[in-house]
Amino acid sequence: MTERISVVSGGVGAARFLRGLIDAVSDPAMIAAIVNTGDDCTLHGLSISPDLDTITYTLAGAIDPERGWGLVDESWRSMEALGRYEPVRPEGSAAAPRWFNLGDQDLATHFYRTARLDEGASLTEVSDEIRRAWKVPVSLIPMSDQTLATIVTILDDSIGGSETVQREVSFQDYFVRLHHDVGVKAVRFEGNAELSRSARTSLTEAETVVIAPSNPIVSIGPIRSLPGVDELLASRRDSVVAVSPIVGGAALKGPADRMMTDLGHEASAVGVAKLYAPIASALVIDPVDEHLAPQIEAAGMRCVVTPSIMSTPSIARSLALATLSAARPS
Ligand code: FO1
């Protein structure tokens, strides 16, 4: 098989799917991942791209398998050393944050990315350099070379009393600092970012586009929010297939299920189908959701049933093969 495949990607779910896809095709060079950068952040003056790094480290076989982010066999001495400055940090200063854990080896990636961006390189160029350094055989293309920030309106009842207030926080504040353990009222994307040129070429020219099993709101959502992306996918909808990240009503990883419910969507493969029907013609679901097939088809998507919990490389490979077949039904 030598067709080009473009995978619209978030973090952990997409990374595991891509690993299966590499095992399923004859030439991984035909695969390109268009990666969410809506959860990128700057800490300690460093440019951090969590989803790009999660995919890079996973495909390099270097990810920490328990956490799903960061490097295996990591050490944390820099984070510990930052603790020295906490007693002297003035009230209101955000210096030396330790709620976002950057491992000693992981820091090298952020040092390199930051220095290259400061030299004027684009995020597309730097991401390609980083994936080459890790000998990752597929193209990893950031969705945009400009900044797009995911802003989450949370329901905050931590102030005390019976009052719940709404406030906007950055994505990593919501996800890491608050452990995504708060209600979500709204999600919006801030910035004048455009789909990167390489991402547009890949999404236009690939024979098949796969929407990876990633959070539809905060992983796929930022990519879809870029001007022209939904229109591009809708125009080639017959060759776009999505893999549901919700199995048996629960997210494969992270807060997608709660977030969908909070935002008024059904936390099920049917809810995913309703979100993706305008841009994809088929949805891959797990056998536990087979009974939902009529509702998914009523929502306008063909339904393909195959095990989708990627607990082993062999299941990930079978899922990738079934997904590719779903994109070109006989
Ligand atoms: N996720 C956490 O839950 N806690 C962390 O301290 C954390 C640090 C971190 C550092 C580098 C990196 O590339 C990712 C990191 N993540 C961490 C994961 C990441 O924030 C989220 O999984 C994604 O943004 C959601 O896709």
Side-chain angles (χ1 to χ4, degrees), residues 274-291:
K274 287 180 181 163
L275 287 170
Y276 288 159
I279 55 164
S281 57
L283 185 68
V284 179
I285 62 168
D286 190 83
V288 302
D289 291 323
E290 191 161 8
H291 62 286

Side-chain angles (χ1 to χ4, degrees), residues 11-302:
V12 178
R16 291 183 181 156
F17 180 82
L18 284 160
R19 200 173 48 193
L21 191 57
I22 290 172
D23 289 345
V25 301
S26 58
D27 181 6
M30 305 311 281
I31 303 169
I34 312 306
V35 184
N36 172 42
T37 56
D39 57 3
D40 287 12
C41 58
T42 304
L43 289 167
H44 318 282
L46 298 171
S47 300
I48 301 165
S49 295
D51 284 354
L52 281 162
D53 291 344
T54 294
I55 294 179
T56 303
Y57 295 162
T58 301
L59 300 186
I63 198 84
D64 182 287
E66 304 298 320
R67 291 192 307 269
W69 55 267
L71 289 160
V72 72
D73 296 330
E74 184 59 284
S75 56
W76 305 92
R77 297 194 63 187
S78 298
M79 285 286 115
E80 285 157 25
L82 278 178
R84 175 184 296 275
Y85 299 102
E86 270 171 14
V88 299
R89 182 173 56 199
E91 187 75 26
S93 166
R98 293 208 294 163
W99 55 269
F100 195 82
N101 296 284
L102 296 171
D104 297 335
Q105 297 173 82
D106 184 34
L107 275 169
T109 303
H110 313 307
F111 290 153
Y112 183 78
R113 178 184 295 112
T114 306
R116 290 287 292 125
L117 291 173
D118 286 351
E119 285 174 357
S122 68
L123 186 60
T124 299
E125 290 169 321
V126 183
S127 305
D128 192 57
E129 290 160 9
I130 292 172
R131 72 103 194 153
R132 277 166 37 218
W134 286 94
K135 302 195 171 16
V136 168
V138 309
S139 301
L140 300 185
I141 306 173
M143 65 180 200
S144 180
D145 285 319
Q146 292 98 31
T147 302
L148 188 86
T150 300
I151 310 284
V152 184
T153 305
I154 59 159
L155 300 172
D156 189 350
D157 57 10
S158 66
I159 308 237
S162 57
E163 205 188 343
T164 300
V165 295
Q166 293 181 21
R167 70 186 169 94
E168 288 197 326
V169 296
S170 74
F171 178 77
Q172 295 300 348
D173 264 331
Y174 158 74
F175 195 92
V176 176
R177 200 208 288 248
L178 299 169
H179 310 287
H180 48 75
D181 192 20
V182 287
V184 170
K185 182 76 182 159
V187 172
R188 69 181 177 86
F189 307 108
E190 192 174 271
N192 287 322
E194 288 180 3
L195 185 66
S196 68
R197 188 195 299 258
S198 315
R200 182 174 300 282
T201 303
S202 174
L203 290 174
T204 306
E205 295 182 357
E207 276 78 14
T208 302
V209 173
V210 177
I211 301 175
S214 298
N215 186 318
I217 313 280
V218 291
S219 296
I220 305 302
I223 304 175
R224 291 185 67 182
S225 80
L226 298 171
V229 170
D230 262 19
E231 292 77 358
L232 192 165
L233 295 175
S235 74
R236 55 164 307 164
R237 180 179 180 278
D238 284 353
S239 53
V240 181
V241 55
V243 182
S244 177
I246 305 282
V247 174
L252 290 171
K253 188 155 185 3
D257 45 2
R258 277 173 287 130
M259 196 176 249
M260 285 178 74
T261 305
D262 284 358
L263 295 175
H265 307 286
E266 199 179 314
S268 73
V270 179
V272 175
K274 287 180 181 163
L275 287 170
Y276 288 159
I279 55 164
S281 57
L283 185 68
V284 179
I285 62 168
D286 190 83
V288 302
D289 291 323
E290 191 161 8
H291 62 286
L292 299 175
Q295 290 175 67
I296 290 168
E297 281 168 13
M301 294 185 91
R302 266 185 306 113

